[in-house]
Amino acid sequence: MAARVCSISASALRRAALRRGPGPGHPAGATPGAGPRTYSKDRESSWFRSLFVHKVDPRKDAHSTLLSKKETSNLYKIQFHNVKPECLDAYNSLTEAVLPKLHLDPDYPCALVGNWNTWYGEQDQAVHLWRFSGGYPALMDCMNKLKVNKEYLEFRKERSKMLLSRRNQLLLEFSFWNEPLPREGPNIYELRTYKLKPGTMIEWGNNWARAIKYRQENQEAVGGFFSQIGELYVVHHLWAYKDLQSREETRNAAWRKRGWDENVYYTVPLVRNMESRIMIPLKISPLQ
């Protein structure tokens, strides 16, 4: 019985092949099965490669060189501190007492850009943004000096008792974004974080270089950064609004501008994950 089923199936396959006509490798008019099947190995190899090979334009510069500001050598550090809930007030008080001293000391090549508590997003969290004027040499100079700063070492010791976890990234600023300068308040701040697919940073930058003009009328654009060390292919956009209602109105207004929808259309496929934090400035933050 099994042999008969196989025979019938093979016969059916032959009839189907005849109805379809000559297959790949058979010249027109040839009868399938009449002789050994011939085909072009080069043709098959070319077809197989076409499934996987995509042309990539070679680049001679890293995206950090192509996208960052040329006229400055600023390096940024962003810190995320997850604080024990019962310690948040004490953490803020300690931070406000110590960090401005580093900010104001001319011997330290670093400056506070902004300090916040997350309001909506991950709770009991502090976010700090620093600028190092002079790039990596300035960062290393500052780190070496802090290693022997007794007040700062005591600060870190006390701070460690209040933290659940912490992480940081080193960032460069996009050339087409605003410089994050001190501003008066009161404001709320939104930090929108995008984790991109590897290899898409240039495309992201090209689209946002055109789109940023749609978000300047209300002066809400504070700064735009991309990661260099830490988790890679991460973008941070920092926005300022008077309140949540102002945020909603400003964002809705962007959709009424011709061209904004195109930016969203072309950049959304580049994103693996995104997150939004609404943040409240600490008393010491230059961004109020």
Side-chain angles (χ1 to χ4, degrees):
M1 178 67 70
R4 181 182 177 188
V5 170
C6 292
S7 175
I8 293 172
S9 298
S11 175
L13 288 173
R14 285 193 294 271
R15 288 196 300 272
L18 288 170
R19 285 195 298 270
R20 284 197 303 267
H26 290 286
T31 303
R37 181 176 179 177
T38 62
Y39 57 88
S40 168
K41 290 186 177 181
D42 289 341
R43 182 177 174 184
E44 181 181 274
S45 176
S46 176
W47 172 83
F48 187 76
R49 286 197 306 270
S50 72
L51 296 178
F52 302 100
V53 177
H54 300 277
K55 186 177 184 297
V56 177
D57 293 329
R59 296 191 180 276
K60 297 182 180 180
D61 294 303
H63 64 248
S64 59
T65 303
L66 295 170
L67 295 174
S68 61
K69 284 182 168 65
K70 304 294 188 299
E71 64 274 15
T72 65
S73 56
N74 291 333
L75 180 69
Y76 291 82
K77 178 171 72 172
I78 191 167
Q79 299 172 300
F80 299 95
H81 291 171
N82 293 319
V83 185
K84 296 176 182 178
E86 67 275 14
C87 296
L88 187 59
D89 289 339
Y91 170 93
N92 288 340
S93 297
L94 181 65
T95 297
E96 291 169 348
V98 176
L99 293 190
K101 297 178 182 179
L102 299 177
H103 172 67
L104 297 173
D105 190 337
D107 197 37
Y108 287 82
C110 63
L112 286 175
V113 177
N115 311 82
W116 303 269
N117 285 148
T118 300
W119 182 22
Y120 286 101
E122 196 161 357
Q123 296 293 282
D124 304 306
Q125 185 180 70
V127 180
H128 305 286
L129 184 62
W130 293 87
R131 180 192 294 113
F132 296 88
S133 299
Y136 291 107
L139 172 69
M140 296 307 299
D141 182 29
C142 192
M143 289 179 59
N144 289 332
K145 289 175 179 176
L146 289 176
K147 289 178 182 178
V148 295
N149 184 319
K150 292 182 179 180
E151 183 178 13
Y152 182 76
L153 294 176
E154 184 62 28
F155 160 72
R156 289 194 60 177
K157 182 178 178 181
E158 288 300 312
R159 187 186 67 182
S160 67
K161 301 174 184 177
M162 305 177 186
L163 297 182
L164 293 170
S165 64
R166 60 193 180 99
R167 61 186 175 89
N168 59 25
Q169 291 174 325
L170 292 180
L171 313 171
L172 294 177
E173 56 186 331
F174 284 110
S175 60
F176 47 85
W177 267 79
N178 301 351
E179 185 79 16
L181 300 175
R183 66 172 64 196
E184 296 181 355
N187 295 293
I188 63 171
Y189 289 81
E190 181 176 18
L191 182 66
R192 295 179 71 87
T193 300
Y194 303 87
K195 298 179 181 180
L196 306 185
K197 298 174 183 177
T200 61
M201 188 67 73
I202 296 293
E203 188 176 353
W204 177 274
N206 287 340
N207 280 285
W208 268 97
R210 294 187 294 269
I212 192 64
K213 64 183 179 182
Y214 302 114
R215 299 296 305 274
Q216 298 283 16
E217 289 182 5
N218 295 322
Q219 317 243 315
E220 70 267 24
V222 178
F225 314 90
F226 57 98
S227 62
Q228 280 291 282
I229 296 179
E231 188 174 5
L232 299 179
Y233 285 97
V234 176
V235 169
H236 299 288
H237 290 176
L238 185 61
W239 309 91
Y241 306 100
K242 291 301 179 185
D243 50 40
L244 289 175
Q245 182 62 33
S246 172
R247 171 187 177 271
E248 181 179 13
E249 292 170 356
T250 300
R251 288 173 55 82
N252 287 342
W255 284 98
R256 294 192 290 272
K257 297 173 183 176
R258 184 177 180 182
W260 175 252
D261 56 339
E262 292 183 10
N263 173 61
V264 175
Y265 177 83
Y266 285 114
T267 55
V268 164
L270 312 179
V271 178
R272 293 187 294 112
N273 180 268
M274 61 186 295
E275 181 179 5
S276 171
R277 290 176 176 83
I278 301 296
M279 308 184 301
I280 305 297
L282 299 184
K283 295 176 182 178
I284 60 171
S285 177
L287 289 168
Q288 284 295 313

